[in-house]
């Protein structure tokens, strides 16, 4: 949202309508000019611009870790309160991704939430360990409010991309929005 303010200052005559639904929309039939997509993209006739990796951080509050201990491997998570995200499109809890791990037993969530910001708030409140997109928790980690764990194991999940119908980018205002947002969002991903 801070990037949107900067876009409005730079392009005051461009009317923007933002939909913040956490569902996969039909871009063409829904009448969208541009959509921000996370994860792997489907093959389609749409145009896309990858703007960065969709990286995740496994983390918890320092207070939680002081009380419960710090997991050293993904299998240690079976002894912790793990707070998961539930996808609104499928109704299923997210499966945490780990690389270089021989973990065979899925982690059982202690709490399941359907909002990314609530996920971060749960970790900040000491409810348990979360695995969240880096852009949701990186400022809290930098400020010491959250502490990353299992950094050597946490894996990427595709990319962050802007996607649009082929005809949309011909409009100068849409092209301006794509270029501006690609630059601004990519800064938050690294």
């Amino acid at each position: 949202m801070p990037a949107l303010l900067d876009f409005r200052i730079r392009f005051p005559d461009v009317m923007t309508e933002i939909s913040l639904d956490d569902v996969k929309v039909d871009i063409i039939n829904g009448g969208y000019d541009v959509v921000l997509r996370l994860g792997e993209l489907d093959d389609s006739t749409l145009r896309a611009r990858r703007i960065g990796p969709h990286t995740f951080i496994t983390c918890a509050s320092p207070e939680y870790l002081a009380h419960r201990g710090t997991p050293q491997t993904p299998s240690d998570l079976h002894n912790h309160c793990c707070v998961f995200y539930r996808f609104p499109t499928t109704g299923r809890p997210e499966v945490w991704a780990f690389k270089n791990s021989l973990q065979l037993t899925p982690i059982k969530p202690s709490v399941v939430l359907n909002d990314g910001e609530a996920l971060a708030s749960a970790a900040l409140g000491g409810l348990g360990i979360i695995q969240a997109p880096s852009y949701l928790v990186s400022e809290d980690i930098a400020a010491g409010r959250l502490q990353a764990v299992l950094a050597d194991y946490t894996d990427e999940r595709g990319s962050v991309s802007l996607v649009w119908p082929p005809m949309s980018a011909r409009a100068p205002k849409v092209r301006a929005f794509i270029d501006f947002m690609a630059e601004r969002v990519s800064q938050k991903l690294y």
Side-chain angles (χ1 to χ4, degrees):
M1 294 316 292
L4 184 58
L5 174 61
D6 292 343
F7 179 80
R8 296 282 309 134
I9 290 169
R10 190 177 296 172
F11 302 98
D13 296 331
V14 176
M15 194 285 284
T16 52
E17 180 178 340
I18 308 293
S19 176
L20 300 175
D21 298 322
D22 196 6
V23 295
K24 190 172 182 179
V25 298
D26 182 331
I27 297 173
I28 294 174
N29 291 329
Y32 295 94
D33 291 318
V34 182
V35 172
L36 184 72
R37 286 259 163 94
L38 308 174
E40 297 299 331
L41 296 178
D42 297 329
D43 288 336
S44 73
T45 60
L46 301 172
R47 302 291 183 254
R49 180 170 175 183
R50 183 184 187 279
I51 53 178
H54 194 209
T55 57
F56 282 70
I57 299 175
T58 307
C59 59
S61 70
E63 295 80 13
Y64 173 88
L65 296 172
H67 177 69
R68 297 290 303 268
T70 302
Q72 301 301 308
T73 68
S75 61
D76 293 343
L77 292 170
H78 294 285
N79 301 316
H80 284 271
C81 294
C82 296
V83 183
F84 277 57
Y85 174 76
R86 181 180 306 280
F87 290 104
T89 52
T90 65
R92 294 185 177 149
E94 183 169 31
V95 175
W96 288 4
F98 293 104
K99 60 184 173 187
N100 304 323
S101 174
L102 299 175
Q103 178 185 344
L104 301 174
T105 309
I107 300 163
K108 182 180 177 198
S110 301
V111 176
V112 180
L113 302 169
N114 68 349
D115 180 82
E117 290 179 12
L119 193 68
S121 293
L124 287 166
L127 191 56
I129 298 174
I130 66 169
Q131 189 174 87
S134 58
Y135 57 82
L136 279 179
V137 295
S138 58
E139 288 180 14
D140 290 316
I141 289 172
R145 294 183 293 265
L146 291 176
Q147 182 178 329
V149 298
L150 304 173
D152 292 338
Y153 295 96
T154 306
D155 207 0
E156 288 182 11
R157 296 192 201 151
S159 60
V160 177
S161 304
L162 290 168
V163 182
W164 62 91
M167 300 302 285
S168 286
R170 291 185 181 172
K173 63 184 178 183
V174 174
R175 186 81 244 161
F177 186 81
I178 291 168
D179 292 342
F180 182 86
M181 293 309 285
E183 177 186 329
R184 290 298 299 269
V185 172
S186 69
Q187 294 171 4
K188 295 284 190 181
L189 300 177
Y190 293 98

